[in-house]
Amino acid sequence: MKKAYWNPYLVGIGIGVLSWVVFALVDKPIGISTAISQASGAVVAAAAGSEQVAANPYWAKNVPAWDYGTLFLVGTFFGALASSLAGKTFKFEWVPQVWQERFGGSRVKRAATAFIGGALILFGARMAGGCTSGHGISGTLQLAVSSWVFFVTMFVAGLVTAKLMFVKK
Amino acid sequence: MDLPIKGDVAIWLAVLFGFAFGVFLQKGRVTDYNVIVRQFLLKDFTVIKVMLTAVIVGGLGVLALHSAGYANFHIKSADMLGMIIGSAIFGIGMVVYGYCPGTGVAAIGSGSIHALIGAAGMLAGGMLYAFSYPWVKENVLTVASLGKVRLPDITGVPDIAWFALLIIIALPLFRALERRSL
């Protein structure tokens, strides 16, 4: 934990072994985006009342609650926090380097873009039925057709987007 | 011990397993915006190295557990229209945000303020999806649905051959990447 970073292949093996453990012990593949959509339901419940959430067919299926998935999400946050503190790589970052080289140092510009990007990934993940965790790792390792379609499609879309955004003409 | 573990114990295990996942993401550098965006610019292959290794190692183990009766598959339905549109939106968003949902949450833990603002965006995206879900379900998710199928089901090529193929692709790829320091 004191080492700043680990070899990426070892990290891959670690996530692979973690998959064995979760499949065998709790019968729940690693996944993140369902829990975030549950959290968005909790925000709506707090702001507009729980009737709004209860009446929604999506949140009726993915009930906002402290359950396995949402607590896994909490664990992920604390794991990264502990890891970055132990490795002394924790750092408040407003504008990352690759962004700054292309778009400058404006915090507002980066924040607005991050907000829009965040909205896109969660909307897309829910329509596709999972994200890079649920589809990209847990689904592809089970050889699910849906998950390989997800991985290839999102990667190609990402390549095109990166080229349009970051490669100067 | 009865498996799978349920109830309060499973809830505590959720925090523990999530914690381990967060440590792996952070130690693997994929909580770094620059690493993710540079993957899509093909200048840094950390994301592919982590994911492909996880899929091969995880997949072989889960396959063995499943064959021995110790694990169930959890296959998501291949509703192809929704898959293609949703995955494309996701890929665009991943470069715009610079994170995926898991790495975004882990990046907040390692100090990224813009990841935190993007997480508010994720909550908004979740709301937008929940409110549009009745329409999406009726008009998108029902189009070209193949159901909960696996690659071996639709091709007849057995599981182990798929993993052999992945290894045959991964090993020379990893070697080439290391040689070029990518």
Side-chain angles (χ1 to χ4, degrees):
Chain A
M1 285 289 273
K2 281 191 173 169
K3 231 174 120 183
Y5 299 109
W6 297 343
N7 177 304
Y9 303 108
L10 286 181
V11 168
I13 291 170
I15 294 173
V17 172
L18 181 63
S19 288
W20 306 349
V21 174
V22 297
F23 268 89
L25 291 189
V26 289
D27 197 25
K28 292 193 190 293
I30 295 170
I32 294 286
S33 64
T34 306
I36 298 179
S37 65
Q38 289 172 271
S40 66
V43 173
V44 171
S50 49
E51 314 79 45
Q52 282 284 330
V53 173
N56 181 284
Y58 190 76
W59 284 316
K61 271 199 320 168
N62 302 288
V63 182
W66 291 116
D67 59 11
Y68 180 89
T70 46
L71 287 165
F72 184 93
L73 184 70
V74 171
T76 301
F77 167 81
F78 282 106
L81 176 64
S83 168
S84 61
L85 290 174
K88 298 195 166 51
T89 50
F90 182 94
K91 190 179 88 206
F92 287 114
E93 177 187 79
W94 285 88
V95 181
Q97 188 198 340
V98 170
W99 173 276
Q100 184 156 2
E101 284 166 6
R102 180 73 177 89
F103 299 107
S106 162
R107 290 178 175 187
V108 175
K109 220 167 157 184
R110 172 59 199 141
T113 313
F115 186 91
I116 293 166
L120 288 174
I121 55 168
L122 216 80
F123 188 91
R126 292 333 303 157
M127 183 180 278
C131 64
T132 348
S133 308
H135 267 313
I137 293 173
S138 301
T140 52
L141 74 80
Q142 298 175 79
L143 303 176
V145 172
S146 53
S147 302
W148 281 96
V149 170
F150 170 85
F151 183 76
V152 172
T153 311
M154 79 89 181
F155 200 79
V156 171
L159 288 174
V160 174
T161 309
K163 197 166 161 82
L164 291 174
M165 273 180 75
F166 288 95
V167 180
K168 290 174 190 162
K169 285 174 202 92
Chain B
M1 184 167 70
D2 284 332
L3 293 175
I5 298 166
K6 291 198 184 299
D8 286 351
V9 182
I11 292 288
W12 287 108
L13 286 175
V15 180
L16 181 71
F17 295 154
F19 189 93
F21 190 52
V23 170
F24 286 136
L25 294 178
Q26 205 278 329
K27 292 294 183 198
R29 304 194 71 132
V30 292
T31 53
D32 183 343
Y33 169 98
N34 301 299
V35 168
I36 293 183
V37 170
R38 283 167 59 81
Q39 172 66 73
F40 286 100
L41 290 166
L42 303 178
K43 288 178 179 164
D44 180 323
F45 282 76
T46 306
V47 174
I48 291 287
K49 290 176 196 172
V50 170
M51 286 185 77
L52 196 51
T53 311
V55 168
I56 292 170
V57 171
L60 284 170
V62 170
L63 178 63
L65 287 166
H66 182 262
S67 308
Y70 292 113
N72 301 312
F73 283 141
H74 295 267
I75 306 299
K76 295 170 189 276
S77 184
D79 310 320
M80 293 307 271
L81 183 63
M83 288 303 313
I84 301 279
I85 299 174
S87 310
I89 293 173
F90 186 93
I92 295 167
M94 187 158 170
V95 173
V96 173
Y97 182 21
Y99 302 104
C100 60
T103 54
V105 168
I108 301 169
S110 47
S112 170
I113 310 287
H114 55 111
L116 178 63
I117 293 159
M122 287 202 275
L123 293 176
M127 288 173 204
L128 203 62
Y129 187 73
F131 290 128
S132 53
Y133 178 70
W135 187 89
V136 171
K137 191 183 175 193
E138 182 121 346
N139 297 287
V140 178
L141 299 183
T142 46
V143 181
S145 181
L146 304 180
K148 299 182 176 183
V149 284
R150 301 175 64 243
L151 292 171
D153 304 330
I154 60 164
T155 59
V157 176
D159 287 62
I160 199 72
W162 288 98
F163 287 109
L165 177 69
L166 284 175
I167 292 169
I168 290 168
I169 293 170
L171 290 181
L173 174 69
F174 291 161
R175 227 162 116 194
L177 291 174
E178 295 311 320
R179 210 176 288 147
R180 290 174 177 79
S181 307
L182 282 169

